[in-house]
Amino acid sequence: MSPRQTSPATAGPGHALIDITTRPPTVFVEGQGSWLTDESGKCYLDLVQGWAVNSLGHSPPVIAQALARQAGRLLNASPAFHNRPMLDLAQRLVGLSCFDRVWFGSSGSEVNEAALKLARRWGRRMRGGAHEVIAFDSAFHGRTLAMMSASGKPGWDSLFAPMPTGFAKARYNDITSVERAITPASVAVMIELVQGEAGVNLADPGFVRELRALTTERQLLLIADEVQTGIGRCGEAFAYELFGIEPDVMTLTKGIGGGVPLAALLCKESFNCFEPGDQGGTYGGNPLMAAVGLAVVDTVCQPVFLAQVRQRAAFLARGLQAIVHEHGLVAERGVGLLRALALPGDTAAQVVAAARELQPTGLLLNAPRPHLLRLMPALTITEAEIGQALALLRQALRVV
Ligand SMILES: *Cc1c(COP(=O)(O)O)cnc(C)c1O
């Protein structure tokens, strides 16, 4: 065989990968806590944390130990059998939340699809075939075809047409628009209590209470997509606790695995209506990931740990507010350790690049919108590290 040529256009570390996004040339080799190291040995303070998945930071000993212990004992007994970590994690989640039943998957899109199927199954049984789900403008629920339909990203309703139908859109924080979207075919409302990908948009507490009352009155399931907000990210185990309401169904992913693929669908007993064969998944509830989830949940959902998250969040918020004043930025907002910084112009991508390129230490940030920076540090970040991050952020803002 003759060696294949690599064209200059595709040269670089990722030339064997299908292009799905523009990645910097950096190759990361190691992570510890809030820090990442690349192949050249340069260190970065990481406020992205795998897109808010590494709730305990990079390679925390508690996860390394849970993985090693479980890997040497039982990797996968099949989703058709019980295993101890799956049972224990389900029990733990039920104990911590207002829900009674749990199904495990591996990604946010997967459990959101499962929530949709559960709602449709319930609608068929209890509401004469009602099946339509009301979701929100600028929502993000995942990248499978149905979740692209459920999401509110501009263009996503036609990008890979034909798209699954059965979704209506309402305006976030506008209860009248939800009322208008309801038809006899409506079965559920699906909402992120904080819209993460849209740029950390917070639901208004009054709106959420009205939404809970409206969905109860009209016999609609209230599905909370807590894929990004759940498991300590917002300073409570679940974001719904901040609003004083109980959803009927909830999905969890990012934080619960602490970096490994683990997702959960939770529901109240009255919506526990899947029939055998309705739902499944090759890796659902595998003991390896469940053992990690158990270690993460047992660490994060301790009252002392959550109180510390709230303290660190307040410290970060104060620091960001100071930067807003110093640099003439628009605003700082967020809940817990999911925060955003609104810039006066569309320079967020430049700030992200400048922060990454800082020497000798880089800072990793995310720009979910052209004028917006998002910060989602490890829940274990220290005040000293927050101070360092704020100093690096100031430098990056000065460069841009
Ligand atoms: C990340 C995210 C998803 C999608 O999760 P995947 O694991 O990427 O499929 C869904 N909903 C919300 C709110 C998210 O933040």
Side-chain angles (χ1 to χ4, degrees):
M1 274 213 296
S2 63
R4 279 182 293 172
Q5 300 288 306
T6 303
S7 75
T10 57
H15 64 259
L17 298 173
I18 292 177
D19 287 325
I20 56 149
T21 184
T22 317
R23 296 184 175 102
T26 326
V27 178
F28 289 107
V29 289
E30 210 182 310
Q32 284 296 320
S34 286
W35 297 90
L36 269 176
T37 309
D38 73 13
E39 272 181 340
S40 74
K42 182 180 168 185
C43 288
Y44 302 78
L45 187 45
D46 184 8
L47 301 191
V48 176
Q49 288 289 353
W51 247 252
V53 301
N54 303 326
S55 33
L56 298 173
H58 291 285
S59 304
V62 67
I63 291 186
Q65 283 154 17
L67 274 173
R69 209 181 314 118
Q70 192 57 45
R73 180 178 272 183
L74 178 64
L75 284 179
N76 200 331
S78 139
F81 297 124
H82 285 134
N83 69 73
R84 187 45 60 190
M86 170 173 82
L87 294 170
D88 289 349
L89 181 56
Q91 201 60 54
R92 201 75 94 251
L93 291 171
V94 163
L96 280 165
S97 72
C98 64
F99 303 98
D100 307 299
R101 299 278 183 164
V102 186
W103 175 76
F104 292 110
S106 309
S107 78
S109 307
E110 185 187 18
V111 288
N112 280 344
E113 291 249 349
L116 173 70
K117 285 166 71 178
L118 189 74
R120 287 188 179 181
R121 164 58 81 190
W122 181 81
R124 185 173 297 183
R125 189 183 292 175
M126 308 297 288
R127 291 270 327 283
H131 59 274
E132 206 166 81
V133 173
I134 298 168
F136 291 91
D137 288 345
S138 63
F140 181 79
H141 297 300
R143 292 173 182 278
T144 56
L145 287 172
M147 287 307 115
M148 287 184 79
S149 285
S151 296
K153 285 208 176 189
W156 271 28
D157 53 347
S158 58
L159 195 56
F160 296 104
M163 301 300 286
T165 54
F167 299 92
K169 288 285 149 58
R171 282 180 35 194
Y172 203 57
N173 287 333
D174 179 348
I175 197 70
T176 314
S177 77
V178 181
E179 278 172 333
R180 268 202 300 269
I182 298 174
T183 72
S186 306
V187 73
V189 175
M190 189 169 190
I191 188 169
E192 298 159 273
L193 295 169
V194 181
Q195 290 185 331
E197 300 303 311
V200 192
N201 298 333
L202 314 190
D204 172 54
F207 166 73
V208 173
R209 281 193 301 273
E210 286 173 342
L211 184 64
R212 176 65 283 187
L214 179 66
T215 46
T216 303
E217 182 199 314
R218 305 294 288 270
Q219 281 194 290
L220 305 174
L221 270 74
L222 183 59
I223 303 170
D225 176 348
E226 291 226 27
V227 166
Q228 189 156 155
T229 53
I231 312 294
R233 176 59 50 189
C234 296
E236 297 289 348
F238 312 106
Y240 75 77
E241 298 173 71
L242 297 165
F243 294 86
I245 58 117
E246 292 186 358
D248 303 308
V249 173
M250 173 173 77
T251 54
L252 298 171
T253 309
K254 299 188 162 95
I256 192 177
V260 306
L262 173 66
L265 166 73
L266 296 91
C267 73
K268 299 233 183 181
E269 187 59 44
S270 43
F271 305 105
N272 172 29
C273 60
F274 275 145
E275 285 167 17
D278 277 359
Q279 186 57 19
T282 305
Y283 295 112
N286 73 82
L288 189 65
M289 297 305 128
V292 172
L294 203 54
V296 170
V297 169
D298 281 347
T299 306
V300 171
C301 297
Q302 299 286 346
V304 183
F305 187 97
L306 292 170
Q308 184 191 287
V309 171
R310 293 192 292 269
Q311 273 165 19
R312 302 281 153 83
F315 185 75
L316 175 60
R318 280 198 301 276
L320 291 172
Q321 276 153 22
I323 290 182
V324 167
H325 292 142
E326 283 163 37
H327 291 260
L329 309 184
V330 177
E332 181 280 337
R333 63 170 181 264
V335 205
L337 286 173
L338 180 57
R339 311 210 71 87
L341 205 51
L343 308 176
D346 287 351
T347 54
Q350 285 163 266
V351 177
V352 166
R356 192 178 59 238
E357 301 306 324
L358 287 172
Q359 293 290 354
T361 302
L363 175 70
L364 299 180
L365 301 165
N366 164 244
R369 285 281 175 277
H371 69 288
L372 208 77
L373 296 172
R374 180 169 47 162
L375 301 86
M376 36 198 169
L379 306 182
T380 51
I381 192 169
T382 64
E383 290 201 354
E385 285 164 340
I386 292 174
Q388 231 171 322
L390 294 168
L392 291 167
L393 178 57
R394 282 188 172 89
Q395 279 184 46
L397 288 167
R398 275 197 296 272
V399 171
V400 175

